[in-house]
Amino acid sequence: MITGNLAGDLLKELNCDTAFTIPVFGGIKVPESVVVTWIIMAVLLIVSFLLTRNLSVENPGRRQKMMEAAVSAGYGFFEDILGEEGKEYIPYLISVMLYIGVANLIGLVGLKPPTKDMGVTAGLAVMSIILIEMAGIRKKGTKGWLKSFAQPVWVIAPINILEVFIRPLSLCMRLFGNVLGAFVVMELIKLILPVLLPIPFSFYFDIFDGLIQAYVFVFLTSLFLKEALE
Amino acid sequence: MSTLLAIGAGVAVLTGIGAGVGIGIATSKAVDAIARQPEADGKISKTLILGCALAEATAIYGFVIALLIILLLR
């Protein structure tokens, strides 16, 4: 009886609701995750606009000093992995980390996390693999990139080609599965005892796990990126 | 039918064993390494998180498959 309800709830959560329909070309359906993504984009844009106003070289304020510390910490972290030549890809990685972090935490204010929609995580993973392969092509040239599939020996070329598809699949599934898994466990805990008990678990599953997954996603992307740049 | 589905989902979630053992081994080695070389702390924990994320993925795949079994075959 209870499990029947839960299965229904889960199915409802797995399905991505359509928020509204754009009435052109016979109606373009806009899913809820896209709307929440727009909200996150707006929030991040406004926050970054407010934080980067009135920057000065001579007398930096407290806000600017904190920002500079945070940005240089991010750059330092990624530069350790990517090295000097991968520096131009760092802004993308930091933006993706900010987006996934905010997206995983947005459940706390009552919105549906967009990362619970497999379309969003798949899109992020496809963007990552395109970035990785394009970085490889830019670094080595098309010929060198094609040749790099046959390294270190030509026998493993099929495995290397397979890896191009496995990597985004595993990035996508890891993020999606973690967010959904945390959600399911939280629902089960709320089913057992909705008072007080979920609080400590919520700290782990909603906050810690979401931030760790944002970190892991960009960390793995930057590792693959470094491999492509070698 | 639903009993069989439940058994199938349970078998799929057994992947958690592998992830648990793997992360346990990785963490024990990391604790060992930090005890021996406390100054390499940062590097070790970075590698540990990466290893844990990769090992954990297998458990996540099992979980996703179990969900698919329950929700799609119902």
Side-chain angles (χ1 to χ4, degrees):
Chain A
M1 169 72 195
I2 294 171
T3 49
N5 273 342
L6 186 75
D9 282 355
L10 284 181
L11 202 60
K12 215 168 65 194
E13 291 294 339
L14 260 177
N15 273 342
C16 195
D17 301 337
T18 308
F20 61 90
T21 311
I22 301 174
V24 283
F25 308 123
I28 302 170
K29 284 179 182 143
V30 178
E32 208 180 350
S33 51
V34 175
V35 177
V36 179
T37 301
W38 287 340
I39 296 172
I40 296 171
M41 276 162 64
V43 168
L44 285 180
L45 270 177
I46 291 169
V47 167
S48 47
F49 175 72
L50 288 179
L51 284 174
T52 50
R53 263 188 333 173
N54 305 328
L55 298 183
S56 78
V57 180
E58 271 80 33
N59 47 348
R62 274 219 338 257
R63 171 169 54 88
Q64 186 182 345
K65 278 178 198 157
M66 273 164 67
M67 281 300 299
E68 277 173 9
V71 170
S72 57
Y75 266 77
F77 169 72
F78 285 114
E79 232 180 299
D80 278 353
I81 305 169
L82 290 174
E84 190 62 36
E85 53 193 305
K87 225 173 169 182
E88 49 192 346
Y89 303 107
I90 294 176
Y92 170 79
L93 294 170
I94 293 182
S95 337
V96 170
M97 178 148 79
L98 279 177
Y99 168 68
I100 298 177
V102 175
N104 286 344
L105 292 184
I106 210 161
L108 293 176
V109 296
L111 292 168
K112 201 168 167 185
T115 34
K116 211 157 61 194
D117 179 1
M118 210 193 283
V120 172
T121 58
L124 285 168
V126 167
M127 265 155 62
S128 284
I129 195 71
I130 288 176
L131 177 80
I132 292 161
E133 298 306 330
M134 289 311 282
I137 292 173
R138 264 186 76 188
K139 176 79 198 302
K140 301 167 192 159
T142 313
K143 238 183 194 168
W145 176 69
L146 286 174
K147 262 183 203 154
S148 73
F149 279 108
Q151 267 158 10
V153 275
W154 62 270
V155 184
I156 61 164
I159 297 174
N160 277 337
I161 292 168
L162 213 57
E163 217 161 47
V164 175
F165 300 98
I166 290 174
R167 276 173 177 174
L169 184 72
S170 97
L171 278 177
C172 159
M173 279 302 173
R174 178 177 298 117
L175 187 56
F176 170 72
N178 262 296
V179 175
L180 196 71
F183 173 78
V184 171
V185 173
M186 280 310 293
E187 283 297 299
L188 289 173
I189 290 170
K190 280 176 202 160
L191 214 68
I192 299 167
L193 184 66
V195 187
L196 286 177
L197 182 70
I199 297 173
F201 291 100
S202 177
F203 272 116
Y204 178 79
F205 285 114
D206 288 342
I207 299 175
F208 179 70
D209 198 39
L211 293 179
I212 283 281
Q213 285 316 311
Y215 170 81
V216 164
F217 190 94
V218 285
F219 189 61
L220 285 176
T221 306
S222 56
L223 274 182
F224 296 153
L225 198 56
K226 194 207 166 197
E227 221 181 281
L229 288 174
E230 258 168 10
Chain B
M1 185 62 189
S2 67
T3 324
L4 277 179
L5 284 185
I7 293 173
V11 171
V13 167
L14 284 183
T15 48
I17 298 174
V21 171
I23 294 175
I25 292 174
T27 312
S28 92
K29 298 278 180 190
V31 170
D32 253 17
I34 293 177
R36 264 183 218 164
Q37 263 187 320
E39 65 273 16
D41 184 15
K43 253 186 188 170
I44 291 168
S45 45
K46 214 188 264 178
T47 322
L48 174 66
I49 287 182
L50 173 70
C52 284
L54 291 175
E56 192 194 44
T58 57
I60 296 292
Y61 297 153
F63 167 72
V64 170
I65 295 292
L67 266 187
L68 289 180
I69 288 175
I70 291 177
L71 296 176
L72 296 184
L73 298 182
R74 203 153 56 105

Short mmCIF file of all heavy atoms in Angstrom, two decimals, chain A residues 116-175:
data_model
loop_
_atom_site.label_atom_id
_atom_site.label_comp_id
_atom_site.label_asym_id
_atom_site.label_seq_id
_atom_site.Cartn_x
_atom_site.Cartn_y
_atom_site.Cartn_z
N LYS A 116 17.75 16.43 -11.62
CA LYS A 116 16.97 15.19 -11.47
C LYS A 116 16.34 14.80 -12.81
O LYS A 116 15.76 13.73 -12.92
CB LYS A 116 15.90 15.39 -10.41
CG LYS A 116 15.57 14.13 -9.68
CD LYS A 116 14.97 14.40 -8.33
CE LYS A 116 13.69 15.17 -8.39
NZ LYS A 116 13.32 15.69 -7.07
N ASP A 117 16.45 15.70 -13.79
CA ASP A 117 15.98 15.40 -15.14
C ASP A 117 17.17 14.86 -15.93
O ASP A 117 18.22 15.50 -15.99
CB ASP A 117 15.45 16.69 -15.78
CG ASP A 117 14.97 16.47 -17.19
OD1 ASP A 117 15.02 15.31 -17.65
OD2 ASP A 117 14.54 17.44 -17.83
N MET A 118 17.01 13.65 -16.51
CA MET A 118 18.17 13.06 -17.19
C MET A 118 18.59 13.88 -18.40
O MET A 118 19.75 13.84 -18.81
CB MET A 118 17.87 11.63 -17.59
CG MET A 118 19.12 10.77 -17.62
SD MET A 118 18.89 9.21 -18.45
CE MET A 118 18.02 8.29 -17.24
N GLY A 119 17.66 14.65 -18.98
CA GLY A 119 18.01 15.47 -20.12
C GLY A 119 19.06 16.51 -19.78
O GLY A 119 19.98 16.76 -20.57
N VAL A 120 18.97 17.09 -18.58
CA VAL A 120 19.93 18.12 -18.17
C VAL A 120 21.32 17.52 -17.99
O VAL A 120 22.31 18.03 -18.51
CB VAL A 120 19.46 18.81 -16.88
CG1 VAL A 120 20.52 19.74 -16.35
CG2 VAL A 120 18.18 19.57 -17.13
N THR A 121 21.38 16.38 -17.24
CA THR A 121 22.70 15.79 -16.99
C THR A 121 23.29 15.28 -18.30
O THR A 121 24.50 15.38 -18.51
CB THR A 121 22.61 14.66 -15.97
OG1 THR A 121 21.70 13.67 -16.45
CG2 THR A 121 22.14 15.16 -14.64
N ALA A 122 22.43 14.74 -19.19
CA ALA A 122 22.94 14.26 -20.48
C ALA A 122 23.50 15.43 -21.28
O ALA A 122 24.56 15.31 -21.90
CB ALA A 122 21.85 13.55 -21.25
N GLY A 123 22.79 16.57 -21.24
CA GLY A 123 23.27 17.74 -21.95
C GLY A 123 24.62 18.21 -21.43
O GLY A 123 25.54 18.50 -22.21
N LEU A 124 24.76 18.24 -20.11
CA LEU A 124 26.04 18.66 -19.51
C LEU A 124 27.15 17.70 -19.92
O LEU A 124 28.27 18.12 -20.24
CB LEU A 124 25.91 18.70 -17.99
CG LEU A 124 25.13 19.86 -17.40
CD1 LEU A 124 24.85 19.61 -15.94
CD2 LEU A 124 25.90 21.13 -17.56
N ALA A 125 26.84 16.38 -19.91
CA ALA A 125 27.86 15.39 -20.25
C ALA A 125 28.27 15.52 -21.71
O ALA A 125 29.45 15.43 -22.04
CB ALA A 125 27.33 13.98 -19.96
N VAL A 126 27.29 15.77 -22.60
CA VAL A 126 27.61 15.91 -24.03
C VAL A 126 28.47 17.16 -24.24
O VAL A 126 29.44 17.16 -25.00
CB VAL A 126 26.31 15.98 -24.86
CG1 VAL A 126 26.60 16.43 -26.27
CG2 VAL A 126 25.64 14.63 -24.89
N MET A 127 28.13 18.26 -23.52
CA MET A 127 28.95 19.47 -23.61
C MET A 127 30.37 19.19 -23.17
O MET A 127 31.34 19.64 -23.79
CB MET A 127 28.35 20.58 -22.74
CG MET A 127 27.45 21.51 -23.51
SD MET A 127 26.24 22.28 -22.45
CE MET A 127 27.26 23.19 -21.31
N SER A 128 30.52 18.39 -22.09
CA SER A 128 31.85 18.05 -21.59
C SER A 128 32.64 17.29 -22.63
O SER A 128 33.80 17.61 -22.90
CB SER A 128 31.75 17.21 -20.32
OG SER A 128 31.42 18.00 -19.24
N ILE A 129 32.02 16.26 -23.24
CA ILE A 129 32.79 15.43 -24.17
C ILE A 129 33.13 16.22 -25.42
O ILE A 129 34.23 16.08 -25.99
CB ILE A 129 32.06 14.10 -24.48
CG1 ILE A 129 33.03 13.09 -25.12
CG2 ILE A 129 30.89 14.29 -25.41
CD1 ILE A 129 34.03 12.55 -24.19
N ILE A 130 32.23 17.14 -25.85
CA ILE A 130 32.55 17.98 -27.02
C ILE A 130 33.73 18.88 -26.69
O ILE A 130 34.67 19.02 -27.47
CB ILE A 130 31.32 18.82 -27.44
CG1 ILE A 130 30.27 17.90 -28.07
CG2 ILE A 130 31.72 19.90 -28.43
CD1 ILE A 130 28.99 18.61 -28.43
N LEU A 131 33.71 19.46 -25.48
CA LEU A 131 34.83 20.32 -25.06
C LEU A 131 36.13 19.52 -25.07
O LEU A 131 37.15 19.98 -25.57
CB LEU A 131 34.56 20.86 -23.66
CG LEU A 131 35.67 21.71 -23.07
CD1 LEU A 131 35.61 23.12 -23.62
CD2 LEU A 131 35.62 21.74 -21.57
N ILE A 132 36.08 18.28 -24.53
CA ILE A 132 37.29 17.47 -24.41
C ILE A 132 37.84 17.15 -25.80
O ILE A 132 39.04 17.35 -26.07
CB ILE A 132 36.99 16.18 -23.63
CG1 ILE A 132 36.68 16.50 -22.17
CG2 ILE A 132 38.14 15.20 -23.72
CD1 ILE A 132 35.95 15.39 -21.45
N GLU A 133 36.96 16.69 -26.71
CA GLU A 133 37.46 16.29 -28.03
C GLU A 133 37.91 17.50 -28.84
O GLU A 133 38.92 17.44 -29.54
CB GLU A 133 36.38 15.52 -28.79
CG GLU A 133 35.95 14.22 -28.11
CD GLU A 133 37.11 13.30 -27.80
OE1 GLU A 133 38.12 13.33 -28.54
OE2 GLU A 133 37.04 12.56 -26.80
N MET A 134 37.17 18.64 -28.72
CA MET A 134 37.60 19.83 -29.45
C MET A 134 38.94 20.33 -28.93
O MET A 134 39.77 20.81 -29.70
CB MET A 134 36.55 20.95 -29.32
CG MET A 134 35.26 20.71 -30.07
SD MET A 134 35.50 20.21 -31.77
CE MET A 134 35.88 21.77 -32.51
N ALA A 135 39.14 20.21 -27.60
CA ALA A 135 40.43 20.62 -27.05
C ALA A 135 41.54 19.76 -27.62
O ALA A 135 42.62 20.26 -27.97
CB ALA A 135 40.40 20.52 -25.52
N GLY A 136 41.25 18.45 -27.75
CA GLY A 136 42.24 17.55 -28.34
C GLY A 136 42.55 17.93 -29.78
O GLY A 136 43.70 17.96 -30.21
N ILE A 137 41.48 18.27 -30.55
CA ILE A 137 41.68 18.63 -31.96
C ILE A 137 42.47 19.93 -32.06
O ILE A 137 43.39 20.07 -32.87
CB ILE A 137 40.32 18.77 -32.68
CG1 ILE A 137 39.65 17.40 -32.78
CG2 ILE A 137 40.50 19.35 -34.07
CD1 ILE A 137 38.25 17.45 -33.33
N ARG A 138 42.15 20.90 -31.20
CA ARG A 138 42.85 22.18 -31.24
C ARG A 138 44.33 22.00 -30.93
O ARG A 138 45.19 22.65 -31.49
CB ARG A 138 42.24 23.14 -30.22
CG ARG A 138 41.22 24.06 -30.82
CD ARG A 138 40.78 25.06 -29.80
NE ARG A 138 41.77 26.11 -29.60
CZ ARG A 138 41.66 27.02 -28.64
NH1 ARG A 138 40.63 27.02 -27.83
NH2 ARG A 138 42.58 27.95 -28.51
N LYS A 139 44.60 21.09 -29.95
CA LYS A 139 45.98 20.93 -29.51
C LYS A 139 46.81 20.17 -30.55
O LYS A 139 47.91 20.59 -30.92
CB LYS A 139 45.99 20.17 -28.17
CG LYS A 139 47.36 19.85 -27.64
CD LYS A 139 47.97 21.07 -26.97
CE LYS A 139 49.46 20.93 -26.81
NZ LYS A 139 49.84 19.76 -26.04
N LYS A 140 46.25 19.06 -31.06
CA LYS A 140 47.07 18.17 -31.89
C LYS A 140 46.80 18.31 -33.37
O LYS A 140 47.50 17.72 -34.18
CB LYS A 140 46.80 16.72 -31.48
CG LYS A 140 47.11 16.41 -30.03
CD LYS A 140 46.52 15.07 -29.66
CE LYS A 140 46.54 14.83 -28.18
NZ LYS A 140 45.57 13.82 -27.76
N GLY A 141 45.73 19.03 -33.75
CA GLY A 141 45.33 19.04 -35.16
C GLY A 141 44.51 17.79 -35.43
O GLY A 141 44.59 16.81 -34.69
N THR A 142 43.71 17.83 -36.51
CA THR A 142 42.79 16.72 -36.77
C THR A 142 43.53 15.40 -36.94
O THR A 142 43.12 14.36 -36.43
CB THR A 142 41.97 17.01 -38.04
OG1 THR A 142 41.47 18.34 -37.95
CG2 THR A 142 40.81 16.05 -38.16
N LYS A 143 44.67 15.47 -37.66
CA LYS A 143 45.42 14.24 -37.92
C LYS A 143 45.97 13.65 -36.61
O LYS A 143 45.84 12.45 -36.35
CB LYS A 143 46.57 14.54 -38.87
CG LYS A 143 46.50 13.71 -40.14
CD LYS A 143 47.71 14.01 -41.01
CE LYS A 143 47.51 13.46 -42.40
NZ LYS A 143 48.53 14.00 -43.32
N GLY A 144 46.55 14.52 -35.84
CA GLY A 144 47.13 14.06 -34.57
C GLY A 144 46.06 13.51 -33.64
O GLY A 144 46.28 12.54 -32.92
N TRP A 145 44.86 14.15 -33.69
CA TRP A 145 43.76 13.70 -32.85
C TRP A 145 43.32 12.30 -33.26
O TRP A 145 43.12 11.42 -32.43
CB TRP A 145 42.60 14.68 -32.98
CG TRP A 145 41.36 14.30 -32.26
CD1 TRP A 145 41.21 14.27 -30.91
CD2 TRP A 145 40.12 13.89 -32.83
NE1 TRP A 145 39.93 13.87 -30.61
CE2 TRP A 145 39.24 13.63 -31.76
CE3 TRP A 145 39.67 13.72 -34.13
CZ2 TRP A 145 37.93 13.20 -31.97
CZ3 TRP A 145 38.36 13.31 -34.34
CH2 TRP A 145 37.52 13.05 -33.26
N LEU A 146 43.21 12.07 -34.61
CA LEU A 146 42.82 10.75 -35.09
C LEU A 146 43.88 9.72 -34.73
O LEU A 146 43.56 8.59 -34.35
CB LEU A 146 42.62 10.77 -36.61
CG LEU A 146 41.34 11.47 -37.07
CD1 LEU A 146 41.29 11.57 -38.58
CD2 LEU A 146 40.12 10.72 -36.56
N LYS A 147 45.14 10.15 -34.83
CA LYS A 147 46.22 9.21 -34.50
C LYS A 147 46.21 8.85 -33.03
O LYS A 147 46.60 7.75 -32.65
CB LYS A 147 47.57 9.84 -34.88
CG LYS A 147 48.08 9.37 -36.22
CD LYS A 147 49.46 9.97 -36.48
CE LYS A 147 49.75 10.00 -37.97
NZ LYS A 147 50.71 11.07 -38.30
N SER A 148 45.77 9.81 -32.19
CA SER A 148 45.84 9.57 -30.74
C SER A 148 44.91 8.44 -30.32
O SER A 148 45.05 7.89 -29.23
CB SER A 148 45.48 10.85 -29.97
OG SER A 148 44.10 11.10 -30.06
N PHE A 149 43.97 8.05 -31.20
CA PHE A 149 43.12 6.91 -30.86
C PHE A 149 43.90 5.61 -30.88
O PHE A 149 43.52 4.64 -30.23
CB PHE A 149 41.95 6.81 -31.85
CG PHE A 149 40.83 7.74 -31.53
CD1 PHE A 149 40.59 8.85 -32.30
CD2 PHE A 149 40.03 7.52 -30.43
CE1 PHE A 149 39.57 9.72 -31.99
CE2 PHE A 149 39.01 8.38 -30.11
CZ PHE A 149 38.78 9.48 -30.89
N ALA A 150 44.97 5.57 -31.67
CA ALA A 150 45.73 4.33 -31.82
C ALA A 150 46.92 4.28 -30.87
O ALA A 150 47.85 3.52 -31.10
CB ALA A 150 46.20 4.20 -33.27
N GLN A 151 46.88 5.10 -29.84
CA GLN A 151 48.00 5.08 -28.90
C GLN A 151 47.58 4.44 -27.59
O GLN A 151 46.43 4.55 -27.20
CB GLN A 151 48.48 6.52 -28.67
CG GLN A 151 49.60 6.83 -29.64
CD GLN A 151 49.77 8.32 -29.86
OE1 GLN A 151 49.18 9.12 -29.15
NE2 GLN A 151 50.57 8.66 -30.83
N PRO A 152 48.43 3.78 -26.85
CA PRO A 152 49.84 3.51 -27.17
C PRO A 152 50.03 2.43 -28.23
O PRO A 152 51.07 2.43 -28.91
CB PRO A 152 50.42 3.05 -25.83
CG PRO A 152 49.25 2.62 -25.02
CD PRO A 152 48.08 3.37 -25.50
N VAL A 153 49.12 1.49 -28.40
CA VAL A 153 49.25 0.52 -29.50
C VAL A 153 47.94 0.51 -30.28
O VAL A 153 46.89 0.82 -29.74
CB VAL A 153 49.55 -0.91 -28.99
CG1 VAL A 153 51.02 -1.12 -28.77
CG2 VAL A 153 48.75 -1.23 -27.76
N TRP A 154 48.00 0.14 -31.54
CA TRP A 154 46.80 0.24 -32.39
C TRP A 154 45.73 -0.76 -31.98
O TRP A 154 44.56 -0.58 -32.32
CB TRP A 154 47.18 0.03 -33.86
CG TRP A 154 47.77 -1.32 -34.15
CD1 TRP A 154 49.08 -1.63 -34.11
CD2 TRP A 154 47.06 -2.51 -34.48
NE1 TRP A 154 49.26 -2.96 -34.39
CE2 TRP A 154 48.03 -3.52 -34.64
CE3 TRP A 154 45.72 -2.84 -34.68
CZ2 TRP A 154 47.69 -4.83 -34.95
CZ3 TRP A 154 45.38 -4.14 -34.99
CH2 TRP A 154 46.36 -5.13 -35.13
N VAL A 155 46.12 -1.82 -31.23
CA VAL A 155 45.15 -2.86 -30.88
C VAL A 155 44.02 -2.29 -30.03
O VAL A 155 42.87 -2.71 -30.13
CB VAL A 155 45.85 -4.01 -30.13
CG1 VAL A 155 44.87 -5.13 -29.85
CG2 VAL A 155 47.03 -4.52 -30.92
N ILE A 156 44.33 -1.28 -29.19
CA ILE A 156 43.30 -0.79 -28.28
C ILE A 156 42.48 0.35 -28.87
O ILE A 156 41.72 1.00 -28.16
CB ILE A 156 43.91 -0.36 -26.93
CG1 ILE A 156 44.89 0.77 -27.13
CG2 ILE A 156 44.53 -1.53 -26.21
CD1 ILE A 156 45.22 1.47 -25.85
N ALA A 157 42.62 0.59 -30.17
CA ALA A 157 41.86 1.67 -30.80
C ALA A 157 40.34 1.53 -30.60
O ALA A 157 39.68 2.51 -30.29
CB ALA A 157 42.20 1.75 -32.29
N PRO A 158 39.77 0.32 -30.75
CA PRO A 158 38.32 0.20 -30.49
C PRO A 158 37.93 0.64 -29.09
O PRO A 158 36.90 1.30 -28.91
CB PRO A 158 38.04 -1.28 -30.69
CG PRO A 158 39.14 -1.78 -31.51
CD PRO A 158 40.33 -0.94 -31.23
N ILE A 159 38.77 0.31 -28.11
CA ILE A 159 38.46 0.69 -26.73
C ILE A 159 38.51 2.20 -26.60
O ILE A 159 37.65 2.81 -25.95
CB ILE A 159 39.44 0.01 -25.76
CG1 ILE A 159 39.26 -1.50 -25.85
CG2 ILE A 159 39.20 0.48 -24.34
CD1 ILE A 159 40.26 -2.29 -25.07
N ASN A 160 39.50 2.83 -27.25
CA ASN A 160 39.60 4.29 -27.19
C ASN A 160 38.38 4.95 -27.81
O ASN A 160 37.90 5.97 -27.30
CB ASN A 160 40.86 4.76 -27.91
CG ASN A 160 42.08 4.66 -27.02
OD1 ASN A 160 41.95 4.66 -25.81
ND2 ASN A 160 43.25 4.55 -27.62
N ILE A 161 37.89 4.39 -28.93
CA ILE A 161 36.72 4.97 -29.58
C ILE A 161 35.49 4.77 -28.70
O ILE A 161 34.67 5.68 -28.53
CB ILE A 161 36.52 4.34 -30.98
CG1 ILE A 161 37.65 4.77 -31.89
CG2 ILE A 161 35.18 4.77 -31.56
CD1 ILE A 161 37.72 4.00 -33.17
N LEU A 162 35.40 3.58 -28.09
CA LEU A 162 34.28 3.30 -27.19
C LEU A 162 34.27 4.28 -26.03
O LEU A 162 33.21 4.69 -25.56
CB LEU A 162 34.41 1.87 -26.67
CG LEU A 162 33.13 1.09 -26.41
CD1 LEU A 162 32.30 1.04 -27.68
CD2 LEU A 162 33.45 -0.30 -25.92
N GLU A 163 35.48 4.67 -25.59
CA GLU A 163 35.59 5.56 -24.44
C GLU A 163 34.92 6.90 -24.69
O GLU A 163 34.39 7.52 -23.76
CB GLU A 163 37.07 5.76 -24.11
CG GLU A 163 37.33 5.83 -22.63
CD GLU A 163 38.77 5.57 -22.32
OE1 GLU A 163 39.63 6.17 -22.99
OE2 GLU A 163 39.06 4.78 -21.41
N VAL A 164 34.93 7.35 -25.96
CA VAL A 164 34.30 8.63 -26.29
C VAL A 164 32.82 8.59 -25.93
O VAL A 164 32.23 9.60 -25.56
CB VAL A 164 34.50 8.94 -27.78
CG1 VAL A 164 33.75 10.20 -28.18
CG2 VAL A 164 35.96 9.09 -28.10
N PHE A 165 32.20 7.41 -26.03
CA PHE A 165 30.77 7.31 -25.71
C PHE A 165 30.54 6.93 -24.26
O PHE A 165 29.54 7.33 -23.67
CB PHE A 165 30.11 6.29 -26.63
CG PHE A 165 30.22 6.65 -28.08
CD1 PHE A 165 31.20 6.09 -28.86
CD2 PHE A 165 29.38 7.61 -28.63
CE1 PHE A 165 31.34 6.45 -30.19
CE2 PHE A 165 29.50 7.97 -29.94
CZ PHE A 165 30.48 7.39 -30.73
N ILE A 166 31.46 6.16 -23.69
CA ILE A 166 31.27 5.70 -22.31
C ILE A 166 31.45 6.85 -21.34
O ILE A 166 30.72 6.97 -20.35
CB ILE A 166 32.25 4.56 -21.98
CG1 ILE A 166 31.84 3.31 -22.76
CG2 ILE A 166 32.25 4.27 -20.50
CD1 ILE A 166 32.81 2.19 -22.63
N ARG A 167 32.41 7.73 -21.63
CA ARG A 167 32.69 8.82 -20.68
C ARG A 167 31.49 9.73 -20.44
O ARG A 167 31.11 9.94 -19.29
CB ARG A 167 33.89 9.64 -21.17
CG ARG A 167 35.18 9.02 -20.75
CD ARG A 167 36.33 9.74 -21.36
NE ARG A 167 37.59 9.17 -20.89
CZ ARG A 167 38.75 9.54 -21.36
NH1 ARG A 167 38.83 10.47 -22.29
NH2 ARG A 167 39.83 9.00 -20.88
N PRO A 168 30.85 10.26 -21.50
CA PRO A 168 29.67 11.08 -21.21
C PRO A 168 28.54 10.28 -20.58
O PRO A 168 27.83 10.81 -19.71
CB PRO A 168 29.26 11.63 -22.58
CG PRO A 168 29.95 10.80 -23.56
CD PRO A 168 31.18 10.29 -22.92
N LEU A 169 28.40 9.01 -20.98
CA LEU A 169 27.33 8.19 -20.38
C LEU A 169 27.55 8.06 -18.89
O LEU A 169 26.62 8.22 -18.09
CB LEU A 169 27.30 6.81 -21.05
CG LEU A 169 26.18 5.91 -20.57
CD1 LEU A 169 24.86 6.41 -21.12
CD2 LEU A 169 26.41 4.48 -20.99
N SER A 170 28.81 7.80 -18.50
CA SER A 170 29.05 7.60 -17.06
C SER A 170 28.95 8.92 -16.31
O SER A 170 28.45 8.96 -15.18
CB SER A 170 30.39 6.90 -16.85
OG SER A 170 31.39 7.81 -16.55
N LEU A 171 29.39 10.04 -16.93
CA LEU A 171 29.23 11.35 -16.28
C LEU A 171 27.77 11.65 -16.05
O LEU A 171 27.36 12.07 -14.96
CB LEU A 171 29.83 12.45 -17.16
CG LEU A 171 31.34 12.70 -17.11
CD1 LEU A 171 31.71 13.77 -18.11
CD2 LEU A 171 31.77 13.12 -15.74
N CYS A 172 26.96 11.40 -17.09
CA CYS A 172 25.52 11.69 -17.02
C CYS A 172 24.86 10.83 -15.97
O CYS A 172 24.13 11.33 -15.11
CB CYS A 172 24.93 11.43 -18.41
SG CYS A 172 23.18 11.15 -18.44
N MET A 173 25.13 9.52 -16.01
CA MET A 173 24.46 8.60 -15.10
C MET A 173 24.89 8.82 -13.66
O MET A 173 24.10 8.65 -12.73
CB MET A 173 24.75 7.14 -15.49
CG MET A 173 23.90 6.66 -16.62
SD MET A 173 22.17 6.82 -16.20
CE MET A 173 21.40 6.40 -17.70
N ARG A 174 26.17 9.20 -13.46
CA ARG A 174 26.66 9.40 -12.10
C ARG A 174 25.90 10.55 -11.43
O ARG A 174 25.40 10.43 -10.32
CB ARG A 174 28.16 9.68 -12.12
CG ARG A 174 28.73 9.95 -10.74
CD ARG A 174 30.22 10.14 -10.79
NE ARG A 174 30.89 8.96 -11.27
CZ ARG A 174 31.59 8.89 -12.37
NH1 ARG A 174 31.72 9.95 -13.13
NH2 ARG A 174 32.18 7.78 -12.74
N LEU A 175 25.82 11.67 -12.16
CA LEU A 175 25.14 12.84 -11.59
C LEU A 175 23.66 12.55 -11.38
O LEU A 175 23.12 12.77 -10.29
CB LEU A 175 25.34 14.02 -12.54
CG LEU A 175 24.86 15.38 -12.06
CD1 LEU A 175 25.50 15.71 -10.74
CD2 LEU A 175 25.20 16.44 -13.08
#
